[in-house]
Amino acid sequence: MEIEIHSDTYDEDLLRRFNSQTIPEEYADLLLTDMLGWVTQTVESFTKDNKPACIAARDYRSALNKQIRACDTKAILRAVSKVPSNAEQSGEVERLDTYIRQLKMIEMDDLTLFEAASDFLRAKVDKIEWAQRGIVTDSSFVEYYDALYRSWTNRKQLMGLQYGTDPITCGKAVYFNCRDDSGRQKLQGIEVPPFFGNGSLHVLANEPADAPRIGWHPQYIRLLKEGSV
């Protein structure tokens, strides 16, 4: 059996027809986008080789099943957000939100600042999207942030003992250790995309602006209130 590929536009009718298949409803729009891209690339490869622009149903179903497995929330939460452009990351850094100021306190380089901006923006988007799609509950987010906070508390104490006389090195050690810990922290018992843990740390390091829940420099609250950075 073969199916003809038409140049349908991504609209509500196409999405409804796509949803008639057995797919995770919460990821329907993402799966449609993925499959439209796959169909386009496959057809272009056929026409390039002067072959008929049609795809076997079994090949389509195989490609769709691969995408569905990638969305399987029993294994890993799929990212909904996209990587911000360089201009968007630059603009975010230049805003000097509290979490960026905190990184500047411990003299982080520009690469780290841009990475933090990207992770922060993506984590905020995905948190909203996962909640709206009913994938993650509000209580699960609270538990996740509490786990990150406990990790930060432990690292702050340990690094304080090790680097007590060098606040900059101490702050960097706290940050990088917390970042490593966040990569292993699960949300609702599920693995998260690599950027989400780090982005969530920056969410905690950003509010409230004058006394955020976590920080990297041993005296971060005092420095923020003094406006030192």
Side-chain angles (χ1 to χ4, degrees), residues 43-56:
V43 169
E44 287 178 349
S45 70
F46 288 165
T47 56
K48 182 179 179 180
D49 295 334
N50 296 316
K51 295 179 180 179
C54 58
I55 297 175

Side-chain angles (χ1 to χ4, degrees), residues 52-89:
C54 58
I55 297 175
R58 64 178 178 277
D59 293 336
Y60 169 85
R61 174 52 61 178
S62 176
L64 178 58
N65 285 338
K66 289 179 181 178
Q67 294 297 337
I68 290 174
R69 285 195 293 271
C71 290
D72 184 4
T73 57
K74 292 182 177 63
I76 185 170
L77 285 165
R78 173 168 175 171
V80 179
S81 60
K82 303 298 181 184
V83 177
S85 66
N86 288 337
E88 290 171 327
Q89 294 178 40

Side-chain angles (χ1 to χ4, degrees), residues 9-144:
T9 303
Y10 180 175
D11 55 21
E12 291 302 319
D13 179 60
L14 179 58
L15 181 58
R16 188 185 72 255
R17 287 156 55 197
F18 185 77
N19 287 351
S20 65
Q21 305 171 102
T22 304
I23 58 176
E25 181 180 354
E26 63 270 23
Y27 285 123
D29 56 338
L30 293 172
L31 285 168
L32 175 55
T33 300
D34 289 341
M35 290 309 297
L36 285 174
W38 177 82
V39 166
T40 299
Q41 291 178 358
T42 303
V43 169
E44 287 178 349
S45 70
F46 288 165
T47 56
K48 182 179 179 180
D49 295 334
N50 296 316
K51 295 179 180 179
C54 58
I55 297 175
R58 64 178 178 277
D59 293 336
Y60 169 85
R61 174 52 61 178
S62 176
L64 178 58
N65 285 338
K66 289 179 181 178
Q67 294 297 337
I68 290 174
R69 285 195 293 271
C71 290
D72 184 4
T73 57
K74 292 182 177 63
I76 185 170
L77 285 165
R78 173 168 175 171
V80 179
S81 60
K82 303 298 181 184
V83 177
S85 66
N86 288 337
E88 290 171 327
Q89 294 178 40
S90 178
E92 177 67 13
V93 170
E94 290 173 359
R95 287 179 57 212
L96 284 179
D97 271 357
T98 301
Y99 76 99
I100 294 294
R101 294 172 61 200
Q102 291 229 51
L103 292 174
K104 283 180 170 290
M105 282 180 192
I106 54 173
E107 300 177 2
M108 286 298 185
D109 58 25
D110 288 344
L111 180 62
T112 302
L113 296 180
F114 274 67
E115 182 182 51
S118 176
D119 291 349
F120 174 80
L121 293 173
R122 296 191 70 187
K124 289 182 65 176
V125 170
D126 280 5
K127 178 186 176 183
I128 294 171
E129 287 290 334
W130 290 341
Q132 290 180 343
R133 292 167 189 257
I135 299 171
V136 180
T137 64
D138 289 342
S139 61
S140 293
F141 281 119
V142 172
E143 292 173 0
Y144 181 76

Side-chain angles (χ1 to χ4, degrees), residues 150-162:
R150 289 195 299 273
S151 173
W152 169 78
T153 299
N154 291 335
R155 291 300 186 180
K156 180 185 178 184
Q157 293 175 344
L158 289 172
M159 296 305 103
L161 292 173
Q162 188 171 354

